């Protein structure tokens, strides 16, 4: 009989969101008249910016006429979008990235998940804890880990985040080949300074490693001293791949558009010591396995960079960040230490005890749903994630309930 990829069997079943749903359903049965407020989700709630909708509609109309209809587009994305990205997301920040180094895709989830396949199966992988689970699970599927024991996979170098380091992991003691970093961070909301990011870039250069830098939440950075792109850091073109997404920036979670930057200067070796371009490898992978993002979606994404689009996107981000301010202030007033929420839509709250206990208590007393930190890794225990992605009314109501019940 045909055999399965047995590495899949090592995957720890993710009970997190199923468990949350079960507990919420039980609560609802007991208190059917009290509306639940969900601040656990990492999905946006507001409509696409008007500039994107207008461009989207116009592009759909083009598809209705033979003369302007488009079939397969370039796998790496249309030039109009790649140019707009390079001009607006990198050039003004002094980051030397050209349009042909940008690969447009249907999501940072797919890209952060797929990227590992162009690297050796024996590459030593460093992954933060707590973490966005995609980085870890895709390496398990690829066979880069041993079994799951005592809350961790054998063979992974975990980069611990904790209160002492402010959830900015220290450089590993051991030499590693591939390093996943995510700033602003999901789930902790932590951000990294230029100096700390420079330390990582220098480490990668010294160890001939590559950093996979997930900047899906860069639009939420309000402090101009913080780097938005790793390519603002000296030497990063030689050691880093960056992932970006329109999902949280412009409300594209259901529309799907993202991009990955692979500089042409990024190289890696074969067993015999020859060096090869990572850009060429990713280009080959992308064009073999992916057929491009739809034309109307790319036109909608391009509109993010129009004058009107920039204003509307910044209003959208400000809206969620005002929610984040309300959450952070309420939690601090209630005596909880918080990380994040200043340059990130997530607030990471130190619960002073078991994170599932806190979740249950919060649900029972207020009907508000958060996400227990233990679901993001062993180091997430003792924390919960509260998301700013919701309506102002819901966030205000949730904080009022918490102030009344937890004070
Ligand atoms: N990276 C991080 C850190 C995320 O939190 C998410 C979504 O929650 C993604 C990537 C996925 O983004 P996309 O919607 O572009 O697939």
């Amino acid at each position: 009989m045909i055999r399965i990829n047995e590495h899949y069997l090592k995957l720890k079943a993710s009970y997190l969101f199923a468990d949350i749903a079960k507990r919420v359903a039980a609560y609802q049965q007991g208190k059917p008249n009290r509306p639940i407020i969900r601040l656990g989700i990492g999905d946006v709630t507001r409509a696409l910016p008007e500039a994107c909708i207008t461009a989207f509609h116009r592009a759909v109309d083009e598809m209705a006429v033979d003369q302007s209809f488009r079939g397969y587009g370039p796998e790496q994305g249309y030039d109009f979008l790649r140019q707009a990205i390079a001009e607006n997301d990198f050039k003004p920040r002094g980051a030397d990235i050209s349009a042909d180094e940008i690969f447009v895709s249907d999501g940072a989830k797919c890209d952060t998940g797929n990227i590992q396949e162009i690297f050796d199966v024996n590459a030593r992988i460093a992954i933060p804890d707590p973490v966005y689970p995609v980085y870890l699970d895709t390496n398990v599927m690829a066979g880069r880990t041993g079994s799951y024991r005592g809350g961790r996979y054998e063979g992974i170098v975990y980069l611990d985040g904790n209160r002492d380091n402010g959830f900015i992991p220290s450089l590993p003691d051991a030499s590693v080949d591939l390093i996943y970093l995510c700033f602003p961070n999901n789930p902790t909301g932590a951000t990294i300074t230029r100096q700390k990011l420079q330390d990582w870039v220098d480490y990668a250069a010294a160890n001939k490693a590559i950093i996979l830098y997930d900047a899906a939440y860069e639009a939420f950075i309000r402090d101009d001293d913080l780097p938005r792109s790793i390519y603002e850091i000296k030497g990063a073109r030689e050691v880093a791949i960056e992932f970006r997404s329109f999902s949280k920036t412009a409300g594209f979670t259901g529309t799907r558009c993202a991009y990955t930057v692979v500089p042409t200067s990024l190289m890696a070796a074969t067993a015999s010591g020859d060096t090869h371009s990572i850009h060429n490898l990713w280009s080959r992978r992308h064009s073999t396995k992916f057929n491009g993002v739809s034309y109307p979606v790319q036109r909608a994404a391009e509109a993010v960079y129009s004058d009107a689009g920039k204003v509307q996107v910044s209003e959208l981000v400000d809206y969620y960040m005002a929610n984040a301010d309300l959450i952070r202030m309420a939690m601090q007033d209630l005596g909880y230490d918080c990380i994040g929420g200043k340059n990130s839509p997530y607030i990471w709250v130190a619960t002073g005890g078991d994170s599932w206990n806190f979740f249950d208590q919060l649900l029972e007393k207020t009907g508000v749903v958060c996400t227990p930190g233990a679901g993001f890794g062993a180091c997430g225990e003792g924390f919960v994630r509260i998301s700013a992605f919701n309506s102002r009314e819901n966030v205000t109501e949730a904080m009022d309930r918490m102030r009344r019940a937890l004070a």
Side-chain angles (χ1 to χ4, degrees):
M1 188 186 269
I2 175 76
R3 295 230 182 126
I4 59 164
N5 173 354
E6 291 189 33
H7 299 304
Y8 275 61
L9 303 181
K10 293 180 201 157
L11 286 168
K12 177 179 70 80
S14 176
Y15 297 118
L16 179 66
F17 290 102
D19 264 7
I20 290 177
K22 216 161 47 187
R23 293 178 196 218
V24 170
Y27 170 86
Q28 257 171 335
Q29 260 192 344
K31 292 193 171 73
N33 297 325
R34 184 159 211 205
I36 297 272
I37 302 179
R38 294 173 199 275
L39 298 183
I41 46 163
D43 194 1
V44 294
T45 55
R46 302 201 77 200
L48 291 176
E50 199 186 320
C52 299
I53 287 294
T54 306
F56 213 164
H57 276 299
R58 201 179 303 130
V60 169
D61 287 342
E62 284 181 54
M63 300 295 266
V65 181
D66 286 349
Q67 284 73 15
S68 51
F69 167 80
R70 316 258 182 146
Y72 290 125
E75 289 98 348
Q76 294 83 350
Y78 283 103
D79 267 351
F80 61 76
L81 179 55
R82 299 168 88 198
Q83 291 288 354
I85 291 168
E87 280 299 311
N88 291 280
D89 282 350
F90 296 101
K91 209 166 156 194
R93 307 284 308 175
D96 173 23
I97 292 299
S98 62
D100 64 1
E101 293 176 311
I102 293 161
F103 294 84
V104 175
S105 80
D106 60 353
K109 185 180 200 173
C110 325
D111 288 351
T112 53
N114 291 327
I115 195 79
Q116 47 74 31
E117 74 175 60
I118 63 170
F119 297 100
D120 183 34
V121 72
N122 295 314
R124 288 155 301 176
I125 314 287
I127 296 188
D129 178 357
V131 74
Y132 175 59
V134 173
Y135 317 149
L136 193 53
D137 288 357
T138 51
N139 277 291
V140 175
M141 291 166 171
R144 282 199 192 84
T145 71
S147 310
Y148 186 72
R149 289 221 175 97
R152 292 198 152 175
Y153 287 99
E154 292 165 343
I156 293 285
V157 174
Y158 284 90
L159 304 171
D160 287 358
N162 49 49
R163 258 173 141 148
D164 292 343
N165 61 22
F167 290 90
I168 312 293
S170 312
L171 302 173
D173 300 331
S175 167
V176 296
D177 301 311
L178 213 48
I179 303 153
Y180 288 81
L181 294 178
C182 171
F183 293 107
N185 188 264
N186 178 16
T188 69
T191 48
I192 193 163
T193 61
R194 276 173 204 283
Q195 185 50 57
K196 286 248 163 73
L197 194 51
Q198 183 73 63
D199 293 346
W200 277 103
V201 167
D202 293 346
Y203 170 91
N207 289 276
K208 299 193 180 345
I210 286 181
I211 297 173
L212 302 173
Y213 193 72
D214 188 342
Y217 295 93
E218 62 75 31
F220 296 85
I221 294 177
R222 292 192 288 189
D223 178 347
D224 216 36
D225 289 338
L226 295 172
R228 283 170 173 256
S229 165
I230 197 167
Y231 303 116
E232 293 174 36
I233 306 299
K234 200 162 150 272
R237 278 186 56 87
E238 281 66 47
V239 300
I241 292 173
E242 182 165 298
F243 305 91
R244 294 272 190 111
S245 174
F246 294 97
S247 281
K248 309 296 159 75
T249 308
F252 274 57
T253 52
T255 307
R256 311 304 303 144
C257 197
Y259 65 88
T260 289
V261 182
V262 189
T264 48
S265 40
L266 192 62
M267 308 295 280
T270 60
S272 58
D274 300 337
T275 50
H276 286 263
S277 154
I278 291 296
H279 178 93
N280 289 350
L281 245 61
W282 184 245
S283 183
R284 188 74 167 89
R285 191 263 166 217
H286 203 68
S287 48
T288 301
K289 295 195 176 181
F290 186 64
N291 246 344
V293 174
S294 85
Y295 172 71
V297 168
Q298 291 194 58
R299 280 295 186 199
E302 181 196 22
V304 163
Y305 303 106
S306 64
D307 289 344
K310 283 179 188 167
V311 173
Q312 291 159 15
V313 162
S314 126
E315 281 169 2
L316 198 58
V317 168
D318 285 350
Y319 181 90
Y320 292 124
M321 289 310 290
N323 285 350
D325 285 340
L326 290 177
I327 297 168
R328 194 169 33 80
M329 282 183 317
M331 297 314 291
Q332 282 171 347
D333 287 350
L334 287 165
Y336 294 100
D337 275 350
C338 299
I339 286 185
K342 285 187 181 154
N343 295 286
S344 136
Y346 297 123
I347 297 93
W348 187 242
V349 183
T351 58
D354 181 87
S355 59
W356 275 109
N357 256 349
F358 186 90
F359 170 93
D360 286 334
Q361 294 283 320
L362 188 65
L363 182 61
E364 184 54 37
K365 290 183 182 164
T366 68
V368 173
V369 180
C370 63
T371 313
F376 299 103
C379 291
E381 187 48 280
F383 293 83
V384 293
R385 187 190 76 176
I386 303 184
S387 158
F389 292 125
N390 215 309
S391 67
R392 182 68 37 77
E393 297 68 37
N394 277 348
V395 169
T396 307
E397 166 70 15
M399 293 308 116
D400 285 349
R401 288 190 200 173
M402 281 156 84
R403 282 180 194 277
R404 282 196 300 269
L406 305 182

